[in-house]
Amino acid sequence: GDALKPDQVSKTTTATFTVQIQNTGGSTVTLTPAATTLKFASDQFSTTLDPGGPVTLPPGTTMLQFVGATVSGAIASNTYSPTLQLTGFQNGAAFSQSVALDSVVVQDASAIAIVAMLPSQPNWTQDQPKPIKVRMVVSNTGGTAATFSSASMRFIHAGVDVTSEFTIPAPSTFQGGALLSAGEIDTVVFDVSDAPGLASSSGNLTIEGTLHVQDVNTNQDILANTDLGGKGHLLVQTPATLSFDAVILSQTKVTQNMTKQFKVRAAVRNTGGSDAVLDLSNLATHLNFSPSPGWSSSVQPTLVGGGTTLSGGEVDTLLFTVTQSGSTAGATSVDVTTSGAESNSGK
């Protein structure tokens, strides 16, 4: 049959058809564009010849172009046989001919939505060196596949765009490839790291996203964003900072080289916003005696309040057991060393 393109169209989108026509006679036909029509689905779709394209049919093959027209959402998804009505003049006489064309498939358009913006961790420490990922979850509930064009994301703090505080390379495709088929869910992955030289805002950030895809039938751009839902959140916290409020000994006088055990309690505070995970090994967390000869002690492997995590703003207690007193008589100073890592950044 005569070549009709495209052979698949999406409802609610604009379809711009071309038809390759063969004139097997010896005379040229001059067409009247407004009366040369292409119709299907009981004339629910109807368009006319584009006067900006060819309007004559000389002997041989001609590619006719038609005015772009919207495929109504009321047309049922199905396969249709369009009819081309050629109207014009040949050798001065009126010319009219109806041509049955190749079939065209009408499908539901792509229906793209951003379902969620999911950070790989819920909290971030200001200016942390450890990068995170943000996953944009995308669904296509329509009847036509779509191909990836571009995606972007933004961080909003108290109504202000603070995306420049981060480095976010533009992703090039969906995780599963460039095509998002009808009825499919896929993910766009953003790598997010701290922008060097810019202090990041602390507080709750809203994660917004924008996605551009192309309908495979029409190549028309489809925009999806998080204005109607799917936004995410990231809590940016101040760095964890440890300090000791007090060091309390269960006894303040001991005998040289005494092996009777006693306890030392150290109140430790996290003055930052991020959680700190303390290293409660004896190597990392220990008492320091001066003068030091003879002293021996060990730390309880958990905080008195349980676990090893000291949340932002929290105070808890380290418990040490002294198993031997020092060998030097006189006053001895006691202080505490501990170390830990932020749960957000690992540093």
Side-chain angles (χ1 to χ4, degrees):
D2 295 289
L4 170 73
K5 290 184 178 176
D7 58 3
Q8 291 189 158
V9 296
S10 301
K11 294 185 205 180
T12 72
T13 66
T14 300
T16 305
F17 286 101
T18 62
V19 181
Q20 190 170 291
I21 289 290
Q22 186 85 23
N23 180 356
T24 56
S27 303
T28 295
V29 176
T30 301
L31 297 171
T32 305
T36 296
T37 59
L38 190 156
K39 298 180 179 183
F40 61 84
S42 303
D43 298 351
Q44 288 181 88
F45 181 90
S46 178
T47 184
T48 56
L49 186 66
D50 184 350
V55 294
T56 59
L57 298 177
T61 301
T62 303
M63 183 76 75
L64 296 179
Q65 299 168 10
F66 287 80
V67 176
T70 300
V71 182
S72 167
I75 298 175
S77 297
N78 210 332
T79 301
Y80 295 93
S81 298
T83 300
L84 172 62
Q85 178 62 46
L86 300 172
T87 305
F89 298 91
Q90 183 180 36
N91 298 327
F95 175 89
S96 178
Q97 186 178 336
S98 182
V99 181
L101 298 176
D102 295 335
S103 61
V104 62
V105 177
V106 175
Q107 298 174 317
D108 288 320
S110 308
I112 308 295
I114 298 172
V115 179
M117 299 290 292
L118 303 174
S120 55
Q121 59 186 60
N123 302 330
W124 167 285
T125 300
Q126 280 178 307
D127 307 313
Q128 76 174 42
K130 174 188 169 189
I132 64 169
K133 293 185 185 298
V134 173
R135 290 173 169 83
M136 172 191 282
V137 182
V138 181
S139 69
N140 180 3
T141 56
T144 303
T147 52
F148 182 93
S149 295
S150 67
S152 62
M153 57 165 285
R154 297 172 299 285
F155 286 111
I156 308 296
H157 179 248
V160 178
D161 190 325
V162 294
T163 312
S164 62
E165 297 173 4
F166 300 86
T167 300
I168 310 171
S172 59
T173 188
F174 296 111
Q175 215 170 1
L179 192 71
L180 184 63
S181 298
E184 195 172 67
I185 291 179
D186 209 334
T187 304
V188 181
V189 180
F190 296 87
D191 291 303
V192 178
S193 55
D194 180 61
L198 282 174
S200 48
S201 308
S202 65
N204 195 40
L205 306 188
T206 300
I207 308 172
E208 298 182 348
T210 300
L211 174 70
H212 287 271
V213 296
Q214 282 188 323
D215 184 298
V216 295
N217 288 343
T218 63
N219 291 328
Q220 287 177 342
D221 180 69
I222 299 170
L223 167 68
N225 58 41
T226 50
D227 289 355
L228 299 176
K231 294 177 184 177
H233 297 280
L234 181 70
L235 180 61
V236 177
Q237 300 171 312
T238 54
T241 306
L242 300 178
S243 64
F244 290 101
D245 286 3
V247 178
I248 302 163
L249 287 70
S250 63
Q251 61 185 79
T252 54
K253 293 180 180 178
V254 297
T255 305
Q256 284 173 288
N257 302 313
M258 181 180 85
T259 54
K260 177 193 168 194
Q261 296 184 2
F262 68 95
K263 303 292 184 185
V264 177
R265 287 174 169 80
V268 60
R269 180 186 298 271
N270 180 357
T271 57
S274 304
D275 291 356
V277 180
L278 302 185
D279 181 351
L280 297 187
S281 66
N282 287 307
L283 193 64
T285 301
H286 51 81
L287 297 174
N288 304 305
F289 297 92
S290 181
S292 61
W295 289 98
S296 179
S297 65
S298 62
V299 66
Q300 178 177 293
T302 58
L303 293 160
V304 171
T308 59
T309 300
L310 195 62
S311 299
E314 187 181 17
V315 180
D316 208 326
T317 302
L318 297 169
L319 184 61
F320 298 88
T321 302
V322 179
T323 51
Q324 181 170 318
S325 303
S327 57
T328 306
T332 299
S333 67
V334 183
D335 64 30
V336 182
T337 296
T338 190
S339 70
E342 284 189 338
S343 55
N344 294 344
S345 64
K347 68 174 184 178

